[in-house]
Amino acid sequence: MKAEDAVCVCGHPRAAHEHHRRGTDCALCDPGACVRFRRGSWWRRLARSR
């Protein structure tokens, strides 16, 4: 998986966390819901599927 294809634990791509203003919050989530990019790992995906 390429870095630009990475998905955050919020379910949105890395590009949603990169913007021209200060901060790293997700531009597609509700304010305060996802304050920084956290790459989803295999164990997080496994835990969510249960």
Side-chain angles (χ1 to χ4, degrees), residues 1 3 9 12-15 19-20 32 35 37 39 47 50:
M1 177 183 290
V9 296
H12 297 120
R14 181 182 293 271
H19 28 70
H20 296 288
V35 296
F37 180 83
R39 188 176 187 151
R50 291 180 182 233

Side-chain angles (χ1 to χ4, degrees), residues 4-43:
E4 61 268 10
D5 295 336
V7 175
C8 182
V9 296
C10 71
H12 297 120
R14 181 182 293 271
H17 292 265
E18 298 173 353
H19 28 70
H20 296 288
R21 62 178 169 74
R22 182 177 295 176
T24 59
D25 60 321
C26 182
L28 303 175
C29 286
D30 291 331
C34 184
V35 296
R36 67 180 176 87
F37 180 83
R38 296 174 313 241
R39 188 176 187 151
S41 62
W42 65 269
W43 57 270

